Coordinates of all heavy atoms in Angstrom, one line a residue:
V518 N 21.9 29.3 -4.0 CA 23.0 28.6 -4.4 C 22.7 27.8 -5.7 O 21.5 27.7 -6.1 CB 23.5 27.6 -3.3 CG1 23.8 28.3 -2.0 CG2 22.4 26.5 -3.1
E519 N 23.7 27.3 -6.3 CA 23.6 26.3 -7.4 C 23.6 24.9 -6.9 O 24.6 24.5 -6.2 CB 24.7 26.5 -8.4 CG 24.6 27.9 -9.1 CD 25.7 28.0 -10.2 OE1 26.4 27.0 -10.4 OE2 25.7 29.1 -10.9
L520 N 22.6 24.1 -7.1 CA 22.5 22.8 -6.7 C 22.7 21.8 -7.8 O 22.1 22.0 -8.9 CB 21.2 22.4 -6.0 CG 20.9 23.0 -4.6 CD1 19.6 22.5 -4.1 CD2 22.0 22.7 -3.7
T521 N 23.7 20.9 -7.6 CA 24.0 19.9 -8.7 C 23.5 18.5 -8.3 O 23.7 18.1 -7.1 CB 25.5 19.9 -8.9 OG1 26.0 21.1 -9.4 CG2 25.8 18.8 -10.0
T522 N 22.8 17.9 -9.1 CA 22.3 16.5 -8.9 C 22.7 15.7 -10.1 O 23.1 16.1 -11.1 CB 20.7 16.5 -8.8 OG1 20.2 17.0 -10.0 CG2 20.3 17.4 -7.6
G523 N 22.6 14.3 -9.9 CA 23.0 13.4 -10.9 C 23.5 12.1 -10.3 O 23.2 11.8 -9.1
G524 N 24.3 11.3 -11.1 CA 24.8 10.1 -10.6 C 26.2 10.1 -10.2 O 26.9 11.1 -10.4
N525 N 26.6 9.1 -9.4 CA 28.0 9.0 -8.9 C 28.5 7.6 -9.3 O 28.1 6.6 -8.7 CB 28.1 9.2 -7.4 CG 29.5 9.1 -6.9 OD1 30.4 8.8 -7.6 ND2 29.6 9.3 -5.6
P526 N 29.4 7.4 -10.3 CA 29.8 6.1 -10.7 C 30.8 5.4 -9.7 O 31.1 4.2 -9.9 CB 30.6 6.4 -12.0 CG 31.1 7.8 -11.9 CD 30.0 8.5 -11.1
N527 N 31.1 6.0 -8.6 CA 32.1 5.5 -7.6 C 31.4 4.8 -6.4 O 32.1 4.5 -5.4 CB 33.1 6.5 -7.2 CG 33.9 7.1 -8.4 OD1 34.4 6.4 -9.2 ND2 34.0 8.4 -8.4
L528 N 30.1 4.6 -6.4 CA 29.4 4.0 -5.3 C 29.8 2.6 -5.1 O 30.1 1.9 -6.1 CB 27.9 4.2 -5.5 CG 27.4 5.6 -5.6 CD1 25.9 5.6 -5.8 CD2 27.8 6.4 -4.3
Q529 N 29.7 2.1 -3.9 CA 30.2 0.7 -3.6 C 29.0 -0.2 -3.3 O 27.8 0.2 -3.2 CB 31.1 0.8 -2.3 CG 32.3 1.7 -2.5 CD 33.2 1.2 -3.6 OE1 33.6 0.0 -3.7 NE2 33.6 2.1 -4.5
T530 N 29.3 -1.5 -3.1 CA 28.3 -2.5 -2.8 C 27.9 -2.3 -1.3 O 28.8 -2.3 -0.4 CB 28.8 -3.9 -3.0 OG1 29.1 -4.1 -4.4 CG2 27.8 -4.9 -2.6
E531 N 26.6 -2.3 -1.0 CA 26.2 -2.2 0.4 C 25.9 -3.6 1.0 O 25.4 -4.5 0.3 CB 24.9 -1.4 0.4 CG 24.3 -1.2 1.8 CD 23.0 -0.4 1.9 OE1 22.8 0.3 0.9 OE2 22.3 -0.4 2.8
T532 N 26.3 -3.8 2.3 CA 26.0 -5.0 3.0 C 25.0 -4.7 4.1 O 25.2 -3.8 4.9 CB 27.3 -5.6 3.6 OG1 28.3 -5.8 2.6 CG2 27.0 -6.9 4.3
Q533 N 23.9 -5.5 4.1 CA 22.9 -5.3 5.1 C 22.7 -6.5 6.0 O 22.8 -7.6 5.6 CB 21.5 -5.0 4.3 CG 21.6 -3.9 3.4 CD 20.3 -3.8 2.5 OE1 19.5 -4.6 2.6 NE2 20.3 -2.7 1.7
S534 N 22.5 -6.2 7.3 CA 22.3 -7.2 8.3 C 21.2 -6.8 9.2 O 21.3 -5.8 9.9 CB 23.6 -7.5 9.1 OG 23.4 -8.4 10.1
D535 N 20.0 -7.5 9.2 CA 18.8 -7.0 9.8 C 18.2 -8.1 10.7 O 18.2 -9.3 10.4 CB 17.7 -6.6 8.8 CG 18.2 -5.5 7.9 OD1 19.2 -4.9 8.2 OD2 17.6 -5.4 6.8
W536 N 17.7 -7.7 11.9 CA 16.8 -8.5 12.7 C 15.5 -7.9 12.8 O 15.3 -6.6 12.9 CB 17.4 -8.6 14.2 CG 18.5 -9.6 14.3 CD1 19.9 -9.3 14.3 CD2 18.4 -11.0 14.5 NE1 20.6 -10.5 14.5 CE2 19.7 -11.5 14.6 CE3 17.3 -11.9 14.5 CZ2 19.9 -12.9 14.8 CZ3 17.5 -13.2 14.7 CH2 18.8 -13.7 14.8
N537 N 14.4 -8.7 12.8 CA 13.1 -8.3 13.0 C 12.3 -9.2 13.9 O 12.4 -10.4 13.7 CB 12.3 -8.1 11.7 CG 10.9 -7.7 11.8 OD1 10.0 -8.6 11.8 ND2 10.6 -6.5 12.0
F538 N 11.6 -8.7 14.9 CA 10.8 -9.4 15.8 C 9.4 -8.8 15.8 O 9.3 -7.5 15.9 CB 11.3 -9.4 17.2 CG 12.7 -10.0 17.3 CD1 13.8 -9.2 17.3 CD2 12.9 -11.4 17.5 CE1 15.1 -9.7 17.3 CE2 14.2 -11.9 17.6 CZ 15.3 -11.1 17.5
S539 N 8.4 -9.6 15.7 CA 7.0 -9.0 15.6 C 6.0 -9.9 16.3 O 6.2 -11.1 16.5 CB 6.6 -8.8 14.1 OG 6.5 -10.1 13.5
A540 N 4.9 -9.3 16.8 CA 3.8 -10.0 17.4 C 2.5 -9.4 16.8 O 2.4 -8.2 16.6 CB 3.8 -9.8 18.9
N541 N 1.6 -10.4 16.5 CA 0.3 -10.0 15.9 C -0.7 -10.6 16.8 O -0.8 -11.9 16.9 CB 0.3 -10.5 14.5 CG -0.8 -9.8 13.7 OD1 -1.8 -9.4 14.2 ND2 -0.5 -9.6 12.4
W542 N -1.6 -9.8 17.4 CA -2.5 -10.3 18.4 C -3.9 -9.9 18.1 O -4.2 -8.7 17.9 CB -2.1 -9.8 19.8 CG -2.9 -10.3 20.9 CD1 -3.4 -11.5 21.1 CD2 -3.3 -9.5 22.1 NE1 -4.1 -11.6 22.3 CE2 -4.0 -10.4 22.9 CE3 -3.1 -8.2 22.5 CZ2 -4.6 -10.0 24.1 CZ3 -3.6 -7.8 23.7 CH2 -4.3 -8.7 24.5
D543 N -4.8 -10.9 18.0 CA -6.3 -10.5 17.9 C -6.8 -10.3 19.3 O -6.9 -11.2 20.1 CB -7.0 -11.7 17.3 CG -6.8 -11.8 15.8 OD1 -6.4 -10.9 15.2 OD2 -7.1 -12.9 15.2
V544 N -7.0 -9.0 19.6 CA -7.4 -8.6 20.9 C -8.7 -9.3 21.3 O -9.8 -9.0 20.7 CB -7.5 -7.1 21.0 CG1 -7.8 -6.7 22.5 CG2 -6.2 -6.4 20.6
P545 N -8.7 -10.2 22.4 CA -9.9 -10.9 22.7 C -11.0 -10.1 23.3 O -12.2 -10.5 23.2 CB -9.4 -12.0 23.6 CG -8.2 -11.4 24.3 CD -7.6 -10.5 23.2
F546 N -10.7 -9.0 23.9 CA -11.7 -8.3 24.7 C -12.3 -7.1 23.8 O -13.1 -6.3 24.3 CB -11.2 -7.8 26.0 CG -9.9 -7.2 25.9 CD1 -9.7 -5.8 25.6 CD2 -8.7 -7.9 26.2 CE1 -8.4 -5.3 25.5 CE2 -7.5 -7.3 26.2 CZ -7.3 -6.0 25.8
V547 N -11.8 -6.9 22.6 CA -12.3 -5.9 21.7 C -12.6 -6.6 20.4 O -11.6 -6.9 19.7 CB -11.3 -4.7 21.5 CG1 -11.9 -3.7 20.6 CG2 -11.0 -4.1 22.9
D548 N -13.8 -6.8 20.0 CA -14.2 -7.5 18.8 C -13.7 -6.7 17.6 O -13.8 -5.5 17.5 CB -15.7 -7.7 18.7 CG -16.2 -8.6 19.7 OD1 -15.4 -9.6 20.1 OD2 -17.3 -8.5 20.2
G549 N -13.1 -7.5 16.7 CA -12.6 -6.9 15.4 C -11.4 -6.1 15.6 O -11.0 -5.3 14.7
A550 N -10.6 -6.2 16.6 CA -9.4 -5.5 16.9 C -8.2 -6.4 16.8 O -8.2 -7.5 17.2 CB -9.4 -4.8 18.3
R551 N -7.1 -5.8 16.2 CA -5.9 -6.5 16.1 C -4.7 -5.6 16.4 O -4.7 -4.4 15.9 CB -5.7 -7.0 14.6 CG -4.4 -7.8 14.4 CD -4.3 -8.3 13.0 NE -5.4 -9.2 12.7 CZ -5.9 -9.5 11.5 NH1 -5.3 -8.9 10.4 NH2 -6.8 -10.3 11.3
L552 N -3.8 -6.0 17.2 CA -2.6 -5.2 17.6 C -1.4 -5.9 17.0 O -1.2 -7.1 17.1 CB -2.5 -5.2 19.1 CG -1.3 -4.4 19.7 CD1 -1.4 -2.9 19.4 CD2 -1.3 -4.6 21.2
R553 N -0.5 -5.1 16.5 CA 0.8 -5.6 15.9 C 1.9 -4.8 16.4 O 1.8 -3.5 16.5 CB 0.8 -5.5 14.4 CG 2.1 -6.1 13.8 CD 2.0 -6.1 12.2 NE 3.3 -6.5 11.7 CZ 3.5 -7.8 11.4 NH1 2.6 -8.7 11.6 NH2 4.7 -8.1 10.8
V554 N 3.0 -5.4 16.9 CA 4.2 -4.8 17.4 C 5.4 -5.3 16.6 O 5.5 -6.5 16.4 CB 4.4 -5.1 18.9 CG1 5.6 -4.3 19.4 CG2 3.2 -4.6 19.7
D555 N 6.2 -4.4 16.1 CA 7.5 -4.8 15.4 C 8.7 -4.1 16.0 O 8.6 -2.9 16.3 CB 7.4 -4.3 13.9 CG 6.4 -5.2 13.1 OD1 6.9 -6.2 12.5 OD2 5.2 -4.9 13.0
Y556 N 9.7 -4.9 16.2 CA 11.0 -4.4 16.6 C 12.0 -4.7 15.5 O 12.2 -5.8 15.0 CB 11.5 -5.0 17.9 CG 12.9 -4.7 18.2 CD1 13.3 -3.4 18.7 CD2 13.9 -5.6 18.0 CE1 14.6 -3.1 19.0 CE2 15.3 -5.3 18.3 CZ 15.6 -4.1 18.8 OH 16.9 -3.8 19.1
V557 N 12.7 -3.6 15.0 CA 13.6 -3.8 13.9 C 15.0 -3.3 14.3 O 15.1 -2.2 15.0 CB 13.2 -3.0 12.7 CG1 14.2 -3.0 11.6 CG2 11.8 -3.5 12.2
K558 N 16.1 -4.1 14.0 CA 17.4 -3.7 14.2 C 18.2 -3.9 12.9 O 18.4 -5.0 12.5 CB 18.1 -4.4 15.4 CG 19.5 -4.0 15.7 CD 20.0 -4.7 16.9 CE 21.4 -4.2 17.3 NZ 21.9 -4.8 18.6
N559 N 18.6 -2.8 12.3 CA 19.3 -2.8 11.0 C 20.8 -2.3 11.2 O 21.0 -1.4 11.9 CB 18.6 -2.0 10.0 CG 17.2 -2.4 9.7 OD1 16.9 -3.6 10.0 ND2 16.4 -1.6 9.0
R560 N 21.7 -3.0 10.4 CA 23.0 -2.5 10.3 C 23.5 -2.6 8.8 O 23.2 -3.6 8.2 CB 24.0 -3.3 11.2 CG 25.4 -2.9 11.0 CD 26.4 -3.6 11.9 NE 27.8 -3.3 11.6 CZ 28.8 -3.6 12.3 NH1 28.6 -4.2 13.5 NH2 30.0 -3.3 12.0
S561 N 24.1 -1.6 8.3 CA 24.6 -1.6 6.9 C 26.0 -1.0 6.8 O 26.3 -0.1 7.6 CB 23.6 -0.7 6.1 OG 22.3 -1.2 6.0

Side-chain angles (χ1 to χ4, degrees):
V518 304
E519 295 184 359
L520 287 186
T521 300
T522 59
N525 179 0
N527 299 315
L528 300 178
Q529 304 297 310
T530 299
E531 179 178 343
T532 302
Q533 302 173 356
S534 177
D535 303 341
W536 279 100
N537 176 263
F538 301 91
S539 64
N541 200 326
W542 183 38
D543 285 341
V544 183
F546 46 84
V547 181
D548 290 330
R551 177 180 300 159
L552 178 66
R553 182 178 177 90
V554 180
D555 285 271
Y556 169 76
V557 176
K558 184 174 183 178
N559 296 343
R560 174 174 173 170
S561 298

